[in-house]
């Protein structure tokens, strides 16, 4: 967990996406830290947090872990932003604890129905293929992460050797590979609350890259149509991670 920025500023909590880590938010922390107290974390099964002891990776597990952490930190009112899987956790949290949120920010968030024609980055295809996912428990080439990161973004300038090394190393942190397999095996449980999105009343901002190959830009319209009063901003030429690919623009918004 990183607790940074202006100590007495409004609290902004940031949730990374699948197979990522809190590092994905470093550009926002640098740009917004003078105004906000910013809390970022490696979610269960990710980064240095490691696997969930009970093996659960459905929405409730992510939401309850986040809530327990923030309660322990004494944080009771905050804005919550999430990218991809983190966006899914963010809106699930908004449904579970509407009284604690001041704002919700969904950045290329998980939740929209899968497009059967989309081609997932190689790492995600492996994780969703039962036989291959078992092999990935013991054999995880760096090249898989290199290709997956390149396939996930449009602004290739953000894909450096250090970034690829970090993805590769953190995904091989003890227990994370097994956790990834268990999380993808529980993937189907994630759609249970999509019918409740209209219950979200907190001011919501939807940010999306129009070149997102993982969760296509139609997902922005999908959320906007379901969350009353939400605002939507689309970034031309940007992929799945606007907070890194278009840091200045997305942080300003």
């Amino acid at each position: 967990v990183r607790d940074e920025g202006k100590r007495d500023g409004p609290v902004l909590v940031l949730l990374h996406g699948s197979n990522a880590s809190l590092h994905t938010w470093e550009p926002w922390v640098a740009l917004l830290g003078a105004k906000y107290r910013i809390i970022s974390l490696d979610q269960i099964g990710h980064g240095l947090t490691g696997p969930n002891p009970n093996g659960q990776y459905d929405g409730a597990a992510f939401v309850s872990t986040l809530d327990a952490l923030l309660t322990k930190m004494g944080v009771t009112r905050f804005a919550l932003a999430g990218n991809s899987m983190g966006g899914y956790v963010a809106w699930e949290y908004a449904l579970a604890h509407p009284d604690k949120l001041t704002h919700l920010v969904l950045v290329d968030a998980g939740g929209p129905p899968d497009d059967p024609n989309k081609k997932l980055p190689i790492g995600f295809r492996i994780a969703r293929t039962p036989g291959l996912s078992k092999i990935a428990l013991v054999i995880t080439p760096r090249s898989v992460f290199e290709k997956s990161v390149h396939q996930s973004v449009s602004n290739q300038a953000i894909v450096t050797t250090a970034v690829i090394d970090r993805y590769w190393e953190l995904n091989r942190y003890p227990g994370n590979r097994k956790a990834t397999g268990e999380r993808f095996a529980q993937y189907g449980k994630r759609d249970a609350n999509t019918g409740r999105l209209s219950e979200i009343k907190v001011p919501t901002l939807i940010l999306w890259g129009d070149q997102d190959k993982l969760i296509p830009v139609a997902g922005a319209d999908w959320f906007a149509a379901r969350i009353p009063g939400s605002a939507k901003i689309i970034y031309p030429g940007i992929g799945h991670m606007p907070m890194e690919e278009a840091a200045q623009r997305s942080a300003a918004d």
Side-chain angles (χ1 to χ4, degrees):
V1 181
R2 287 180 179 172
D3 188 353
E4 304 172 278
K6 187 179 181 183
R7 302 308 302 168
D8 59 350
V11 179
L12 172 61
V13 178
L14 303 174
L15 302 177
H16 64 75
S18 179
N19 296 96
S21 64
L22 55 76
H23 302 86
T24 195
W25 297 107
E26 288 177 340
W28 273 24
V29 173
L31 291 162
L32 299 172
K35 184 175 182 180
Y36 300 100
R37 175 186 174 188
I38 303 178
I39 297 171
S40 57
L41 61 139
D42 291 341
Q43 300 191 78
I44 48 175
H46 293 78
L48 299 180
T49 292
N52 192 4
N54 65 17
Q56 292 300 308
Y57 297 97
D58 57 2
F62 282 93
V63 167
S64 62
T65 304
L66 175 63
D67 193 56
L69 169 67
L70 294 173
T71 298
K72 185 169 184 175
M73 296 177 73
V75 177
T76 57
R77 288 282 288 171
F78 54 95
L80 182 60
N83 169 242
S84 194
M85 178 197 77
Y88 158 72
V89 176
W91 65 255
E92 286 275 17
Y93 191 96
L95 289 173
H97 303 283
D99 55 317
K100 296 187 178 184
L101 293 192
T102 61
H103 302 83
L104 177 65
V105 184
L106 303 178
V107 186
D108 296 62
D114 272 339
D115 178 355
N117 298 315
K118 76 178 179 184
K119 187 175 181 181
L120 287 170
I122 186 170
F124 288 88
R125 297 203 303 273
I126 289 172
R128 293 189 186 185
T129 306
L132 291 177
S133 63
K134 290 183 179 179
I135 294 172
L137 289 173
V138 290
I139 302 173
T140 316
R142 181 183 182 279
S143 58
V144 169
F145 289 94
E146 181 174 15
K147 190 168 184 179
S148 289
V149 177
H150 277 294
Q151 290 175 332
S152 296
V153 302
S154 287
N155 179 3
Q156 297 295 323
I158 70 166
V159 186
T160 65
T161 298
V163 165
I164 296 164
D165 284 344
R166 186 180 69 223
Y167 273 96
W168 184 46
E169 291 167 2
L170 289 179
N171 277 276
R172 292 184 299 129
Y173 183 81
N176 279 358
R177 286 182 288 186
K178 185 172 186 289
T180 298
E182 292 172 343
R183 178 165 51 84
F184 275 93
Q186 298 171 31
Y187 189 78
K189 300 179 182 179
R190 290 175 45 169
D191 300 327
N193 286 326
T194 53
R196 296 180 55 206
L197 285 167
S198 62
E199 298 175 25
I200 295 176
K201 307 303 181 189
V202 64
T204 300
L205 177 62
I206 301 162
L207 307 179
W208 223 280
D210 75 344
Q211 299 300 310
D212 191 335
K213 298 182 181 68
L214 193 58
I215 309 178
V217 67
D221 293 329
W222 187 88
F223 277 113
R226 287 162 175 77
I227 301 177
S230 56
K232 177 184 67 176
I233 300 173
I234 306 298
Y235 301 106
I238 297 301
H240 189 57
M241 295 186 282
M243 67 285 186
E244 292 191 61
E245 297 181 66
Q248 292 279 354
R249 281 181 286 164
S250 59
D253 291 331

